[in-house]
Amino acid sequence: MTDLVFQKCINPKCGGTTSLADTTFRCPRCGGLLDVAYDWNRLPVPKSLKHFEGKWANRTNPLDFSGVWRFRELFPFAPDSAIVTIGEGQTLCQRADAVATYAGLNPGRLFLQYEGMNPSGSFKDNGMSAAFTHARMTGATRAACASTGNTSASLAIYCAAMQSMRGIIFIGSGKISYGKLSQALEHGALTLQINGDFDDALRRVREVSQQLGIYLVNSVNPFRLEGQKSIMYRVLEALRWEVPDWVVVPGGNLGNVSSFAKAFSELLDLGLIARVPRLAVINAAGANTFYELHEKHNLRWAGGQFDQSKIDGYYAALDATSRKADTLASAIEINRPVNLPKALRSLDRCNGVVRSVPDVEILDAKAKIGAGGLGCEPASAASVAGLRMLVREGVIDKDERVVCILTGHVLKDSDETVAYHSADQATFDAKIGKRGVKSVAFANRAVPVPNDLAAIVKAIEQNA
Ligand code: F0G
């Protein structure tokens, strides 16, 4: 008899498995990525998604209050007593007509899933609460990650809340925004600045975690992705359990897209939904490995027999030309996405596409999202910029129902926002212009006014 919960190689041809408690996060047979797998036939599964509606009302139970754990029957790997929660996942799925119009959709067709409302200000908390729960189950006392900023902020806040876990973060030097760095420092994580970028930091943290037996919380950890499935459950809940036509998500290390497709495949297999949505992953043009491989080199999942030589060849070419990831959307400035094989499987399951958008389109989309009433960071806005591109191409119809995931809060990266709206060329150039963006479309410039009542009144009458 198999265990109720175990870890399983994503490659069906390999079939390697390992125990729930294994924290190496590599298939013991082939070294590949793992899924958390469940023997659903022996687990209590709700008959309908409506089952979850009553849970939120029970706000006195922290597990039902959490926007992650009230869905815990859909990732039942932990006993209630082990669960680590800080009230994550109280997020909003908001209809956004002004942004829909900008992207080319008809009113009522676009919803923004605003994950900036999480305790650390990004979607990462959904996964971190799950990873920390697993860490606690395995008796870990130290947790580490490499990060472009948000994972480290989330790790730091969970360590601080738990007190019994020491956090260690690896960041590329000069690569993360001050908002995110300040969170890691404020919450007390040991912060190591590596002379390199995210891809270098991730390689090092994997080595170090293995050598020192430190619990790794990057998205190569399949337990983190179990928590991120709840983002899709909340989307479905907000849409009264109707599956949208598309989910559009920024792509960095490709954990989200992998987790979303797993959520939908499982719901389909369990008979809880009748179809899966299509997925669109949006890369920044300066960090577009997934786009290049999937759309240009035609790399496909092929039942797990994907052509590794295409990936190796692509990385060799990056090395040969010393090409490093380079985008203003620093959260997704990643050239070697660790979940690439899972993401290929995800697109296969959900008939997905990948697009690559230039920084200027990301920043303009971000300003439109902000003007529409939700503040997000640049990486998040890639979703709307990508949606606009897909509508323009005719891939997404203007009457289809679309959910874009806003992954992080606007205050994460305020320097870029101020520079975008600044009338001062030096401020603009220091943050944006030096990265090749010449001009932006939706700047809301501050108006300089003398300290004089009549002049102030005049400025208001002229401008508002
Ligand atoms: N959006 C934001 C705001 C992010 O911080 C990240 C990833 C992504 C999108 C990409 O998500 O990796 O699931 O494709 N940030 C990681 C970090 C890499 O270290 O904070 P993904």
Side-chain angles (χ1 to χ4, degrees), residues 122-124 145-152 180 198 218-219 224-225 228 249-257 281 331-332 334 339 377 379-380 406-409:
S122 85
F123 76 94
K124 302 283 179 181
C145 69
S147 185
T148 55
N150 282 323
T151 305
S152 55
K180 298 171 190 176
F198 173 83
N218 279 103
S219 54
R224 234 193 72 188
L225 300 190
Q228 286 170 217
V249 61
N253 229 357
L254 304 177
N256 259 339
V257 62
V281 178
I332 52 174
I334 296 173
N339 287 300
E377 64 171 287
S380 312
L406 300 184
T407 45
H409 200 280

Side-chain angles (χ1 to χ4, degrees), residues 94 140-141 183 234 354 359 414:
Q94 183 163 296
T141 55
Q183 289 179 288
R234 296 198 297 276
V354 192
D359 281 354
S414 51

